[in-house]
Amino acid sequence: MSQKTYKPKDAPTLSPEVKVDEPREAVSSEERLQIERPSLRDWMDLRLGWYGFVRKNLDEPMPAGVGWWQTLGNLLMTLLVFQFITGFALAMYYSPSPDSAHASVKHLTYEVGLGSFIRGLHSWGSTVIVIAVVLHMLRVFFWGSYKKPRELTWVVGVIIFQVILGFSFTGYLLPWDQKAYWATVVGTRIAATIPVVGHALLVFIRGGEEVGALTLTRFYSFHVMLLPASLILFTFLHLYLVRRHHIAGPVTPAKGAPVPFYPNQLFKDAIVLLFGVGLLIYLAVALPPGLEAIADPTGTDFSPRPEWYFLGLYELLKVMPSGWEVVATVIIPTGITIGMFALPWLDRSKSRHPAKRQWIIMSGFAAILLIGLMTLKGILETPPEHKKSEATLAGSSDIPKAEATQLESLGE
Amino acid sequence: MPKDNLNQDNIEISRRKMMGLVVGVINLGLIGAIVGPMVGFAAAPLGNKRKSRWVELMDESRIKPGEVKEVNYSLLVVDGYHEVEQKFTVFLRRSEEDVICIDPACTHLGCRVDYHADQHKFICPCHGGVFDDEGTNKSGPPPKPLERHPVKIEAGKIWISREV
């Protein structure tokens, strides 16, 4: 009921002169029910109401000034669908056990036809998605589109962002190579820095004291069950809210009447999809995914580094003085996350114009600058592959390297 | 008050409310019935206690006073649903009086430290933590010294104890 009467103050409406392809309800449902031999299209539509739904969405009014920046949501959703499909395909060949995970990834990458391409799409997809989601959020941030009545659209968006980070953290472990193993050892240890409950949380996340078989099954379960289910739920909620409140339009209303979503905006969307997905395919082909040596808890020739978008956090840990790591591991990330959730309520100004909400824009810039500089520092300081072997060489005259006393397994 | 109840008597309204309440309680019960066991099941590893085990590493004669030696060994450990031969690394350091056994997991975030013999230091490759050759934290982010495992020497053999 309230749905019909609800209309946000700034909701765009199509003027009656705007030409859409066909009349929205040429023949009413009642009239069509009387048709004796309805066309398949009418038959289906009477039961599904599908054409009305599609029509309504294609005719969704776009305020003047909406354009390229509003294509990012569509790009993001398409990329997520790609992840869903390639993930489903990868799971056909993957085995989540320390005995077989590495071998199964090796097999699917190098021996299964198109394996390298499918895995490339999935692993590069995570990178392109992070870029797309950040751009999408920055657009909403600078346009102030999260303001009343779209607060919850933003909040649901932030939840989706967290779910995406969860995907990338859990997915990173699955190949069970050195990079995967050590990034997870360090990443999960972050939980242990939380006072009081830290250790219990660490054991809960790892499924034990060490990263092992139960960590792998746990991460796999989250990666293929809980996170996809949450993502689908929150994505539908997000889309519902976007349609309910309509597109916010530019900060200062542009001249001109709203136009329907189809064809102008959909065309722009398609162009962006062409380039976005084109880039993804290019990356998957040009830079096929690698696989390092199998996870080795004793490995010395490996310097753990996280995925590039967690490098900022990683560098922050480096600059924190001893005893202050909880600031970098918990307080700053939690603070930024709470700030993101609370943004619509922190920003009290009525106006969406950036000049009218300076401290919010400044705080946003500060956060972006901090994350950006730390990430840049991390990228610049990435040790060249052989930096470590030099160090090992320097000391090699003194240390009888791994003069291993490989003992037989000892029972109790 | 819903409109359709206006003309009915109070008993009818309370009956309606009562039924709503029962539905609510049943729903809460259903949520509890699945969420409770679910949380217990997922958190089960929290109840596992580790036991310490003595492991024979090597002959005492193979390490000289003042020397730091990296030793790898493997143990059959239970890792979830299977038993695996898991490899471990420790550093043994011998002084004039005794032998200490240093765990290589950095106390900052658990990366594996390397021993740099020329500087007599343990250095963590992740965030640059530095420890002296006894495992005491000297600079960088590590909050405490490297963990030590108990050592005993019996019949010329070095044994260490570790929790698995």
Side-chain angles (χ1 to χ4, degrees):
Chain A
M1 284 299 231
S2 60
Q3 180 94 9
K4 269 188 184 156
T5 52
Y6 169 75
K7 195 150 244 205
K9 229 184 350 195
D10 53 355
T13 37
L14 294 177
S15 73
E17 298 96 70
V18 174
K19 195 178 171 311
V20 290
D21 285 352
E22 47 186 290
R24 270 164 262 175
E25 281 290 331
V27 190
S28 74
S29 296
E30 287 77 23
E31 282 173 277
R32 272 186 294 181
L33 266 176
Q34 307 308 320
I35 303 174
E36 267 197 20
R37 298 172 68 91
S39 66
L40 181 62
R41 181 184 157 152
D42 277 341
W43 191 93
M44 291 292 280
D45 191 29
L46 271 173
R47 279 142 190 92
L48 293 171
W50 178 248
Y51 289 104
F53 177 78
V54 171
R55 195 74 257 161
K56 187 166 172 282
N57 278 296
L58 290 179
D59 290 348
E60 169 73 18
M62 298 282 129
V66 163
W68 295 103
W69 282 109
Q70 278 71 16
T71 59
L72 291 161
N74 196 336
L75 174 65
L76 188 53
M77 206 176 72
T78 307
L79 291 169
L80 289 170
V81 171
F82 265 61
Q83 289 302 86
F84 200 84
I85 296 169
T86 51
F88 161 70
L90 291 171
M92 290 183 193
Y93 291 92
Y94 178 73
S95 166
S97 168
D99 313 345
S100 49
H102 186 265
S104 70
V105 173
K106 200 170 169 182
H107 171 71
L108 77 87
T109 309
Y110 300 113
E111 290 162 25
V112 177
L114 291 175
S116 169
F117 180 61
I118 299 292
R119 194 178 147 224
L121 286 181
H122 198 75
S123 79
W124 278 110
S126 77
T127 281
V128 181
I129 281 173
V130 169
I131 296 172
V133 76
V134 168
L135 288 176
H136 184 56
M137 293 180 94
L138 287 178
R139 195 274 295 167
V140 174
F141 178 74
F142 285 112
W143 285 50
S145 314
Y146 49 79
K147 285 180 174 288
K148 187 181 170 187
R150 300 185 181 84
E151 299 96 327
L152 292 182
T153 320
W154 167 265
V155 168
V156 173
V158 176
I159 294 174
I160 292 173
F161 176 63
Q162 304 292 328
V163 170
I164 287 173
L165 292 184
F167 264 118
S168 92
F169 184 64
T170 51
Y172 206 66
L173 177 67
L174 302 183
W176 201 250
D177 61 359
Q178 283 283 67
K179 199 166 80 166
Y181 176 85
W182 284 102
T184 305
V185 168
V186 176
T188 50
R189 255 301 265 275
I190 284 179
T193 62
I194 299 171
V196 190
V197 295
H199 185 256
L201 193 61
L202 175 81
V203 174
F204 178 78
I205 294 171
R206 288 183 176 177
E209 294 279 344
E210 309 290 339
V211 174
L214 296 185
T215 319
L216 189 54
T217 44
R218 212 158 260 250
F219 276 35
Y220 183 67
S221 172
F222 271 85
H223 195 79
V224 304
M225 292 290 300
L226 186 70
L227 293 175
S230 327
L231 183 68
I232 291 169
L233 179 74
F234 287 114
T235 301
F236 275 110
L237 188 54
H238 194 69
L239 292 176
Y240 163 75
L241 290 170
V242 167
R243 277 300 181 245
R244 176 168 162 85
H245 299 297
H246 306 283
I247 299 283
V251 172
T252 40
K255 271 190 185 161
V259 293
F261 174 72
Y262 175 85
N264 292 31
Q265 185 64 27
L266 189 58
F267 179 74
K268 288 197 177 81
D269 280 17
I271 298 291
V272 169
L273 287 185
L274 181 70
F275 281 98
V277 176
L279 172 72
L280 175 61
I281 291 173
Y282 169 76
L283 288 169
V285 173
L287 300 164
L291 185 65
E292 301 192 4
I294 190 165
D296 175 11
T298 59
T300 55
D301 52 350
F302 193 77
S303 171
R305 295 190 74 72
E307 186 63 309
W308 66 269
Y309 38 83
F310 289 127
L311 267 181
L313 183 61
Y314 181 85
E315 287 300 315
L316 198 59
L317 285 169
K318 229 185 245 184
V319 299
M320 278 295 148
S322 172
W324 288 81
E325 53 274 354
V326 71
V327 175
T329 54
V330 183
I331 296 175
I332 291 179
T334 314
I336 291 179
T337 308
I338 292 175
M340 284 167 80
F341 276 114
L343 180 63
W345 295 277
L346 290 174
D347 181 2
R348 307 300 308 174
S349 77
K350 285 265 190 302
S351 170
R352 285 170 46 211
H353 200 284
K356 299 266 171 62
R357 46 192 184 105
Q358 283 172 355
W359 81 266
I360 282 288
I361 296 286
M362 287 304 159
S363 319
F365 267 124
I368 294 161
L369 207 63
L370 174 74
I371 297 167
L373 281 179
M374 283 294 160
T375 307
L376 191 68
K377 185 170 176 288
I379 291 169
L380 292 177
E381 285 180 10
T382 299
E385 220 87 272
H386 299 290
K387 196 178 150 197
K388 274 203 44 117
S389 53
E390 260 170 60
T392 321
L393 281 178
S396 63
S397 54
D398 298 290
I399 315 174
K401 192 176 185 286
E403 194 182 330
T405 34
Q406 287 280 358
L407 291 180
E408 293 305 303
S409 48
L410 298 171
E412 275 219 60
Chain B
M1 193 182 294
K3 208 177 169 186
D4 56 335
N5 277 346
L6 276 178
N7 295 328
Q8 295 172 3
D9 58 19
N10 289 335
I11 297 164
E12 193 60 22
I13 295 167
S14 68
R15 176 182 144 84
R16 183 184 163 88
K17 273 190 180 165
M18 189 61 210
M19 288 169 83
L21 194 70
V22 171
V23 170
V25 168
I26 290 175
N27 283 345
L28 280 181
L30 291 176
I31 293 169
I34 190 63
V35 170
M38 176 51 223
V39 169
F41 183 66
L46 288 171
N48 296 345
K49 289 280 165 281
R50 303 216 284 184
K51 282 181 274 181
S52 45
R53 243 152 86 173
W54 283 100
V55 187
E56 184 190 319
L57 281 193
M58 62 183 193
D59 274 354
E60 190 193 359
S61 58
R62 288 174 63 192
I63 182 165
K64 293 173 209 48
E67 201 181 355
V68 172
K69 196 166 220 165
E70 178 181 333
V71 183
N72 296 330
Y73 62 99
S74 52
L75 278 176
L76 203 62
V77 298
V78 177
D79 180 16
Y81 49 86
H82 62 178
E83 277 200 329
V84 285
E85 195 178 310
Q86 196 169 319
K87 285 184 265 172
F88 293 98
T89 302
V90 287
F91 288 100
L92 291 180
R93 180 184 182 279
R94 180 159 208 173
S95 60
E96 292 301 334
E97 310 87 51
D98 61 353
V99 176
I100 58 173
C101 173
I102 298 169
D103 193 274
C106 180
T107 50
H108 181 221
L109 289 171
C111 296
R112 187 196 181 290
V113 298
D114 297 320
Y115 185 63
H116 293 253
D118 47 344
Q119 305 167 54
H120 302 284
K121 278 174 186 154
F122 291 100
I123 299 177
C124 178
C126 285
H127 303 102
V130 178
F131 304 84
D132 69 12
D133 61 356
E134 292 190 322
T136 311
N137 46 325
K138 286 295 172 194
S139 66
K144 53 186 187 211
L146 291 170
E147 201 194 321
R148 290 187 187 182
H149 300 292
V151 180
K152 67 179 180 187
I153 300 176
E154 271 179 15
K157 304 274 191 196
I158 299 176
W159 291 69
I160 65 160
S161 158
R162 89 170 293 142
E163 289 193 329
V164 283

